[in-house]
Amino acid sequence: MSVVLEAKNINKYFKRPVLFHVLKNINFQVEKGEFTSIMGKSGCGKSTLLYILSTMDTDYEGELYINNELITGDAREKLSFIRNKHIGFVFQFHYLLSEFSVLDNVMLPAKKLAEKSYEEIEEDAFQKLKMLNIEGLAKKKASRISGGEKQRVAIARALINNPSIIMGDEPTGNLDSYNADNVFNIFKELSEEQGLSLLIVTHDEDFANRTNRIIQMGDGEIISQ
């Protein structure tokens, strides 16, 4: 199997108000097509770890690899490019631009990457909406759709650049059980049919138990994986 994401001896310290060792010797890999969840009590370092893995936080010790390429120490511009091209994000809050149409929201990361023409991006975005059965919402303003629909739009947006991995921080945290189930099924299908890797931080045990693997964290360490 090919490894999409690898963390080697990741350590993170908060310097203020006093020195605090937040993440301690984090080592794990995510393979292509693997659907992995990260669990642990609040404050155990899950979101801090995700912030590092997503290349947003560069102040850590250790090595981070994406598609077997060492990206630790890369310049900010290069990290921004890697993040946009290889990593899709789905958060607890969808962060859609409410005055934009659904289609425009999905197109944004591809316009930023600027590897395709406007027409191609528009077509890609429509196909992603179709894949998630929400193409009928394309022209609606993001402010006019339901919470469950917004999270699907956020997933379509995360998929627009055909990333190597989707990272999620409590993506079902704001949804009722019906919509949370929908999101889980979309993720599972992406992993099984598109070979997409997923790394999802969650408090939802039911969600985690149905993923391929659970990375359990406690006090900044990986307890089991």
Side-chain angles (χ1 to χ4, degrees), residues 84-163:
N84 204 13
K85 188 174 175 69
H86 293 294
I87 305 171
F89 297 99
V90 185
F91 299 101
Q92 180 170 354
F93 304 102
H94 43 75
Y95 298 113
L96 298 178
L97 299 176
S98 56
E99 289 313 297
F100 279 48
S101 74
V102 161
L103 193 65
D104 283 333
N105 268 287
V106 174
M107 289 170 70
L108 281 172
K111 283 160 84 172
K112 188 180 170 196
L113 194 61
E115 287 187 337
K116 293 180 174 179
S117 71
Y118 182 89
E119 289 72 23
E120 286 174 305
I121 293 171
E122 196 173 43
E123 175 58 26
D124 275 357
F126 190 75
Q127 289 308 323
K128 296 291 187 262
L129 291 173
K130 208 169 171 179
M131 198 163 91
L132 300 176
N133 296 317
I134 47 170
E135 69 273 22
L137 303 176
K139 296 292 180 215
K140 276 195 170 178
K141 271 192 178 174
S143 55
R144 315 293 303 166
I145 63 176
S146 74
E149 288 167 342
K150 282 177 178 157
Q151 202 54 310
R152 283 187 183 217
V153 175
I155 294 170
R157 180 185 57 191
L159 292 170
I160 188 69
N161 290 333
N162 298 316

Side-chain angles (χ1 to χ4, degrees), residues 159-171:
L159 292 170
I160 188 69
N161 290 333
N162 298 316
S164 309
I165 188 166
I166 293 267
M167 294 184 187
D169 196 359
E170 301 283 353

Side-chain angles (χ1 to χ4, degrees), residues 39-59:
M39 289 198 85
K41 291 193 178 81
S42 288
C44 73
K46 302 185 302 294
S47 294
T48 305
L49 175 60
L50 204 63
Y51 215 55
I52 289 171
L53 299 176
S54 68
T55 76
M56 307 277 260
D57 180 2
T58 55
D59 181 21

Side-chain angles (χ1 to χ4, degrees), residues 12-78:
K12 167 80 183 170
Y13 297 87
F14 285 154
K15 311 285 196 304
R16 286 188 289 269
V18 290
L19 191 67
F20 177 58
H21 198 172
V22 201
L23 295 174
K24 305 161 191 164
N25 295 325
I26 300 289
N27 288 284
F28 72 94
Q29 298 179 337
V30 178
E31 293 183 342
K32 183 173 164 55
E34 191 173 27
F35 186 177
T36 306
S37 48
I38 300 180
M39 289 198 85
K41 291 193 178 81
S42 288
C44 73
K46 302 185 302 294
S47 294
T48 305
L49 175 60
L50 204 63
Y51 215 55
I52 289 171
L53 299 176
S54 68
T55 76
M56 307 277 260
D57 180 2
T58 55
D59 181 21
Y60 62 88
E61 292 170 6
E63 295 175 346
L64 179 61
Y65 296 82
I66 289 182
N67 295 325
N68 297 313
E69 189 184 329
L70 178 66
I71 60 165
T72 302
D74 278 353
R76 200 164 282 267
E77 292 73 33
K78 189 173 179 200

